[in-house]
Amino acid sequence: MSVQVDEAPVTADGVLDQSLEHTDPAVFAAIADELIRQQSTLEMIASENFAPLAVMQAQGSVLTNKYAEGYPGRRYYGGCEHVDVIERLAIERIKDLFGAEYANVQPHSGAQANAAAMAALLKPGDTILGLDLAHGGHLTHGMRLNFSGQLYNAIAYHVRPEDHRVDMAEVERLAREHRPQLIVAGWSAYPRHLDFAEFRRIADSVGAYLKLAAEPAFRERQERTLAGARLLADRLLADDARAAGINVISGGTDVHLVLVDLRDSELDGKQAEDRLHSIGITVNRNAVPFDPRPPMVSSGVRIGTPALAARGFDLDDFAEVADIIATALRPAADEVELAGLRDRVSRLAQSRPLYPNLAAPSVGTDA
């Protein structure tokens, strides 16, 4: 049996043939601005990366590379100014369509994957054991306002105050005391390797499932990712950085991120995020263990290297990025210095072009 393929139908309003710029110029302009932002700045949020052009062609646009936790104007991550435009437009349109006073149109990613895994393994009310959010865990590992803390009896393990490493003795004690059905051996802002063998032993001893973090797929890129993170940690532990009140949680990193500790600095996490954003580097403020400041301010920033590694940054590039960040986070840095750092960021971005074949169209010219 053969299938005949007809030509594309011609609709009365011609909507199938209209470009996005013609159909919705406001969204078209925001997407163009987001591409320019990604091309001209350095993306260093640890949980973000760049999708291949083919993936974006199949699934969407440059917005694929950006997620925006929180709400417009009140984000936990920087670099959301163009996403905010689109989310506000979507909220207003949904409200108009349904005659609603409020609407939430936010997308999700890993949280849904964790929810699916937990739903497959657990029943509501079962006990889970995960790393405390304030000590580097993820929202879906039992945070009380998250589904994981509401559906399940969530118990938290912590890092030690003296070295900020996971306290495996506490993990075992809590596991034997509470007999969790699931132990989460994962994290969101913890800069060290976990002792997976020890987690496995503890899980086996109490009959729990063990949810392991996945290994990276691309070895060479991951090696540059890890090497770049180590360079950044080492630079932020140098004498001049320490004198400016900058420190690194746990004294370094084994993974793709550095958790910067600003408890001894004049800058708080939000100020540090904003300052780096002003010179073209996107990071997110993040709580540090035993943080005295509230989460929306925090005393730290989480800085990751995956997106820059995907962009092709080598060790010399990462060394330059590390020095720029260390200089920018000095409280005494003035506008002249910051302008110079902005130029250095611009040169780096130009030297490693992002999506060179994907140029932002001129708004106002129908593509």
Side-chain angles (χ1 to χ4, degrees):
M1 176 179 173
S2 61
V3 178
Q4 182 170 347
V5 179
D6 296 328
E7 293 183 359
V10 178
T11 59
D13 59 5
V15 67
L16 296 182
D17 301 317
Q18 292 177 355
S19 68
L20 176 62
E21 180 184 10
H22 180 84
T23 303
D24 197 329
V27 171
F28 179 85
I31 290 173
D33 287 342
E34 174 66 5
L35 173 58
I36 293 170
R37 186 193 70 81
Q38 290 181 20
Q39 290 175 326
S40 61
T41 62
L42 305 184
E43 204 73 36
M44 298 194 74
I45 290 177
S47 47
E48 290 188 2
N49 210 327
F50 297 116
L53 182 58
V55 172
M56 293 194 297
Q57 290 172 332
Q59 293 193 349
S61 68
V62 291
L63 300 176
T64 301
N65 303 327
K66 192 80 188 84
Y67 64 84
E69 187 177 350
Y71 295 96
R74 289 182 57 80
R75 302 293 191 184
Y76 288 92
Y77 299 128
C80 296
E81 58 267 32
H82 308 305
V83 176
D84 283 358
V85 171
I86 295 173
E87 187 167 324
R88 288 189 177 106
L89 284 170
I91 289 170
E92 292 305 315
R93 291 170 182 175
I94 291 291
K95 286 162 60 179
D96 289 343
L97 180 62
F98 291 99
E101 291 186 56
Y102 306 99
N104 186 2
V105 298
Q106 295 178 324
H108 292 279
S109 54
Q112 290 176 325
N114 283 351
M118 289 176 175
L121 296 171
L122 304 169
K123 301 186 299 297
D126 280 353
T127 298
I128 63 174
L129 178 61
L131 181 58
D132 187 272
L133 178 68
H135 287 225
H138 191 261
L139 288 167
T140 57
H141 297 174
M143 191 267 192
R144 63 183 178 85
L145 298 180
N146 183 260
F147 78 88
S148 57
Q150 293 178 344
L151 290 180
Y152 308 110
N153 176 33
I155 308 299
Y157 59 87
H158 305 84
V159 299
R160 295 183 295 254
E162 62 269 20
D163 61 4
H164 297 146
R165 305 291 184 109
V166 168
D167 187 343
M168 294 306 295
E170 184 197 33
V171 174
E172 182 164 17
R173 177 179 60 77
L174 292 173
R176 293 188 180 279
E177 178 182 348
H178 296 280
R179 312 294 292 186
Q181 281 73 39
L182 174 73
I183 299 176
V184 183
W187 40 259
S188 178
Y190 179 71
R192 294 296 185 178
H193 289 309
L194 294 177
D195 188 342
F196 291 119
E198 183 65 2
F199 270 101
R200 173 84 272 170
R201 184 190 67 78
I202 293 170
D204 287 343
S205 72
V206 297
Y209 297 109
L210 178 69
K211 180 180 179 292
L212 296 174
E215 289 298 316
F218 302 102
R219 183 180 182 87
E220 188 275 334
R221 182 189 294 180
Q222 185 67 356
E223 287 174 349
R224 279 189 291 110
T225 299
L226 297 177
R230 287 192 294 269
L231 280 171
L232 176 60
D234 289 345
R235 179 64 186 87
L236 294 177
L237 288 168
D239 290 344
D240 63 329
R242 295 299 300 275
I246 301 168
N247 203 352
V248 172
I249 290 295
S250 81
T253 182
D254 298 325
V255 293
H256 65 290
L257 66 88
V258 175
L259 187 55
V260 183
D261 185 355
L262 299 174
R263 283 176 293 179
D264 294 331
S265 171
E266 296 175 24
L267 297 178
D268 60 36
K270 185 179 186 306
Q271 291 169 329
E273 176 190 303
D274 290 344
R275 178 173 288 189
L276 290 174
H277 182 70
S278 75
I279 65 169
I281 295 178
T282 306
V283 303
N284 68 277
R285 61 189 177 276
N286 205 98
V288 297
F290 316 105
D291 199 326
R293 295 186 174 103
M296 288 300 292
V297 177
S298 81
S299 297
V301 287
R302 184 180 66 154
I303 307 178
T305 53
L308 297 190
R311 197 165 174 166
F313 276 47
D314 61 22
L315 296 189
D316 289 338
D317 297 327
F318 278 119
E320 171 72 348
V321 172
D323 189 64
I324 290 170
I325 291 173
T327 305
L329 291 182
R330 290 189 302 105
D334 58 27
E335 285 302 318
V336 173
E337 289 178 288
L338 293 177
L341 296 178
R342 197 175 302 116
D343 290 340
R344 290 167 67 181
V345 167
S346 180
R347 286 194 293 271
L348 275 170
Q350 292 172 14
S351 71
R352 301 290 183 183
L354 174 66
Y355 305 131
N357 298 320
L358 186 62
S362 299
V363 177
T365 302
D366 202 306

